[in-house]
Amino acid sequence: MTASETDLRAGAITQPPIWLRDNCPCAECRDPRNGQKLFGITDLPPDLTVTNVSGTTVTYSDGHVSRFDPAFLEAQHGPDDRCEDAKRLWGSTDAPEHDWARFLSDPEHRADCLHAVMRTGFTLLHGVPAVPGTVLDVASEFGFVRETNYGELFDVRVEATPNNLAFTGLAIAPHTDNPYRDPVPTVQLLHCLSNAVDGGESGLVDGFHAAALLRAEEPDAFDLLSRTLVTFRFADGGTELVTTQPMIGLDPAGRIREIRFNNRSMQPLRLPPDQIAAFYTAYRRFAEIVTRPELMVTFRLGPGDCVVFDNTRLLHARTGFADSGERHLQGCYADLDTIASRHKVLQGQLAFARLRELFDGPGTADYLGEEVTQAQHMLQAAALAESAGASPELVVAALLHDVGHFTGPLTGAELMGGTDNRHSHVAAAWLAHWFDPAVTEPIRLHVAAKRYLCALDPAYAGLLSPASRYTLEVQGGPMTDQEVADFEAEPYADDAVRLRRWDDAAKDPSLTVPPFDHYEQRIALLARPGL
Ligand code: OGA
Ligand code: ZN
Ligand code: ZN
């Protein structure tokens, strides 16, 4: 083992040199304007080694240096948000319901609605005007309409010469749509314009849950359905679509990721004769699970209702209805990736709006008797961090470091009255709803950093403002030797000390600094969905 390998193992860094170098965040390696990588794998030396590691700064054999954020190195690869692990599987759940007018006017409601489609697999929207074509307006709020051979939208009503059984009054068993398309449309919408018939009730089944039950009850059947290729086909005068995929699609780690289930369009199996019976037994088992009444949510679509669902996961069904009377739905398709994107962007905007309320409201209050308000103090700290070239995470940490004075049970007034309000911990816990440790950890440690600096450097205490010197005592006074050692072992100790220095300097009533809105993009990009 070389010295550098020993260093690598001893420290926080466990990734091999090639991984580190491929993920170097420096401006030479990634375009700072968009974060995109500026080189390819063949541009890197194949025999690259690490010659030095100091904290999370890595030097390579060709002289290049990478400075990593500790949280980035620790982050584990979570499951793909399309696979079963990222979902809430359900039996007959109460249907998530949303309201179209609120969806359009209330960003929290909209985020909740998008989230329902991602996690539960569907939502039932009410109050969508029963006007032909409106399903396209709904789809474009969720993403981009995916036009198909049926058009931008399709009418589901009884037709004289139906090219699809959906356009009759027959019952339709649980199925996914367009299994004969590759790629398959991943989201489906059905909007009800009228439903004045006997019958015509709707049903939804969580296909991931059904497949997981099959795996638990009959592992061999599950295995067969995930490995056997099945062909689906749709043909009419102008179209012939054919796709071959297993009914239960798995990701490379074996997690359920995509269901294709449609008896109407399934084609003859092309398997060796001795394998056919086993396939049919497995297929029958899955179909039996899928039709268990306790697994299905049933509801009746009325005019103005629109169901939006994940067509890679949910199976939809309807009961038959008599041809007399009017039943008219309009449907269209869209995609899940855009729903996830809109949800992420919206969460960022919501986090920004919530934080701005703090700055505009309680932030305007007096800051522990200093000559600046709470908000001015934090804006100054952020401006100092930005001028010092700090990472976006640390700039946002500086911007938000004192929100604990007005988000917890105890305020700054209580701190000045001699009771520690633990504002650094309160802020870090509250902000963890949106932000990673690279933002919250320096905040959690910014009071500790003051106690640390006082222990190390008596001159530092002399630089503190009178209020800060007073609160130092309430917060535990200078650190003991043991506390100093513990603090230095914290991965974000350096960032906390940097933040502390800006904090101490951010009390200047004559300073003009950028307003809160200046940080909008940074906050929106760093805030992740609070799931
Ligand atoms: C469809 C379908 C269900 C219904 O058009 O894909 O399954 O309720 N329709 O008519
Ligand atoms: Zn259908
Ligand atoms: Zn402060």
Side-chain angles (χ1 to χ4, degrees):
M1 194 183 287
T2 67
S4 63
E5 280 170 350
T6 314
D7 287 347
L8 278 178
R9 277 165 209 209
I13 295 179
T14 53
Q15 293 86 349
I18 188 68
W19 186 99
L20 295 166
R21 182 56 181 281
D22 192 39
N23 291 293
C24 178
C26 84
E28 229 175 88
C29 290
R30 282 167 184 270
D31 188 324
R33 294 167 298 183
N34 49 44
Q36 296 204 338
K37 217 175 269 184
L38 292 164
F39 59 87
I41 180 64
T42 53
D43 297 317
L44 300 181
D47 50 0
L48 191 74
T49 60
V50 165
T51 55
N52 187 53
V53 178
S54 161
T56 53
T57 299
V58 176
T59 308
Y60 307 90
S61 45
D62 62 352
H64 195 82
V65 177
S66 301
R67 288 185 184 80
F68 290 103
D69 169 2
F72 172 77
L73 295 174
E74 273 165 36
Q76 296 299 313
H77 206 41
D80 164 11
D81 73 1
R82 292 274 298 276
C83 81
E84 59 178 313
D85 290 5
K87 309 297 185 190
R88 190 175 67 76
L89 304 191
W90 46 267
S92 66
T93 173
D94 291 332
E97 296 185 54
H98 292 89
D99 178 78
W100 181 234
R102 274 190 74 195
F103 180 100
L104 291 174
S105 64
D106 172 359
E108 302 263 6
H109 194 72
R110 172 188 288 250
D112 193 66
C113 182
L114 297 172
H115 190 237
V117 179
M118 294 162 65
R119 285 273 287 174
T120 309
F122 73 106
T123 183
L124 185 52
L125 269 176
H126 300 293
V128 179
V131 175
T134 308
V135 71
L136 297 177
D137 299 336
V138 178
S140 51
E141 291 296 334
F142 283 81
F144 302 98
V145 174
R146 176 103 81 90
E147 194 171 352
T148 72
N149 52 296
Y150 300 100
E152 259 193 309
L153 64 73
F154 50 91
D155 289 285
V156 186
R157 61 184 160 192
V158 175
E159 289 181 6
T161 52
N163 68 351
N164 188 311
L165 292 182
F167 312 143
T168 70
L170 292 175
I172 303 184
H175 64 282
T176 61
D177 259 30
N178 288 12
Y180 39 78
R181 300 283 316 278
D182 184 12
V184 73
T186 52
V187 172
Q188 182 170 356
L189 295 90
L190 286 171
H191 175 215
C192 179
L193 299 176
S194 61
N195 194 4
V197 291
D198 258 352
E201 312 279 335
S202 304
L204 291 171
V205 178
D206 182 352
F208 283 11
H209 186 210
L213 287 173
L214 181 68
R215 180 173 55 200
E217 293 171 13
E218 305 212 30
D220 292 345
F222 176 87
D223 198 45
L224 214 50
L225 294 191
S226 65
R227 283 187 299 102
T228 306
L229 289 171
V230 176
T231 296
F232 298 93
R233 175 173 178 270
F234 174 87
D236 67 5
T239 304
E240 172 153 355
L241 290 162
V242 183
T243 290
T244 299
Q245 288 284 340
M247 284 189 185
I248 300 176
L250 306 181
D251 74 8
R255 294 176 290 227
I256 301 161
R257 195 174 189 277
E258 188 165 286
I259 305 293
R260 279 175 203 252
F261 195 85
N262 192 319
N263 61 311
R264 281 174 286 153
S265 56
M266 183 178 153
Q267 299 301 298
L269 272 181
R270 303 294 176 197
L271 280 180
D274 61 333
Q275 293 174 23
I276 289 178
F279 176 86
Y280 271 99
T281 302
Y283 175 29
R284 178 185 297 273
R285 291 282 174 272
F286 191 37
E288 282 165 356
I289 293 176
V290 155
T291 49
R292 283 179 192 165
E294 69 271 23
L295 293 192
M296 185 182 278
V297 184
T298 55
F299 50 91
R300 182 179 181 79
L301 290 174
D305 292 337
C306 181
V307 60
V308 183
F309 55 94
D310 176 347
N311 184 52
T312 67
R313 170 180 170 196
L314 265 57
L315 291 76
H316 60 287
R318 72 155 187 243
T319 61
F321 58 92
D323 283 12
S324 62
E326 168 86 357
R327 183 179 191 271
H328 186 186
L329 312 185
Q330 285 190 321
C332 72
Y333 302 105
D335 284 302
L336 287 169
D337 56 356
T338 309
I339 292 186
S341 162
R342 298 237 168 131
H343 183 250
K344 170 79 177 88
V345 169
L346 194 52
Q347 288 288 352
Q349 290 167 350
L350 283 170
F352 177 75
R354 180 77 186 83
L355 294 167
R356 195 227 287 249
E357 279 170 20
L358 281 186
F359 273 69
D360 290 349
T364 58
D366 165 79
Y367 171 52
L368 310 182
E370 306 280 0
E371 288 181 70
V372 289
T373 66
Q374 300 262 15
Q376 284 167 336
H377 167 62
M378 292 193 285
L379 289 168
Q380 288 188 11
L384 292 167
E386 188 174 10
S387 330
S391 67
E393 288 84 353
L394 196 51
V395 172
V396 171
L399 179 69
L400 303 175
H401 75 273
D402 274 341
V403 298
H405 285 313
F406 35 88
T407 50
L410 300 179
T411 63
E414 267 128 337
L415 175 61
M416 293 307 283
T419 307
D420 186 4
N421 63 356
R422 294 177 53 77
H423 74 281
S424 58
H425 291 75
V426 168
W430 190 74
L431 292 166
H433 183 64
W434 297 292
F435 297 104
D436 283 337
V439 173
T440 60
E441 280 296 284
I443 294 177
R444 185 178 68 83
L445 295 171
H446 86 273
V447 169
K450 175 170 71 169
R451 300 181 51 223
Y452 170 78
L453 287 168
C454 286
L456 247 60
D457 175 11
Y460 168 82
L463 301 173
L464 293 174
S465 70
S468 206
R469 247 188 323 249
Y470 167 73
T471 58
L472 170 69
E473 294 314 318
V474 181
Q475 291 156 341
M479 283 183 169
T480 63
D481 289 350
Q482 182 57 49
E483 286 172 329
V484 164
D486 291 346
F487 179 81
E488 284 176 347
E490 292 279 356
Y492 289 92
D494 289 349
D495 281 349
V497 168
R498 292 179 78 196
L499 170 53
R500 185 71 224 179
R501 302 247 184 221
W502 300 318
D503 185 2
D504 296 329
K507 300 174 179 178
D508 179 351
S510 66
L511 219 57
T512 306
V513 292
F516 189 68
D517 287 0
H518 175 71
Y519 303 97
E520 175 165 7
Q521 247 215 328
R522 247 173 293 214
I523 290 176
L525 274 175
L526 293 177
R528 59 181 156 57
L531 294 179

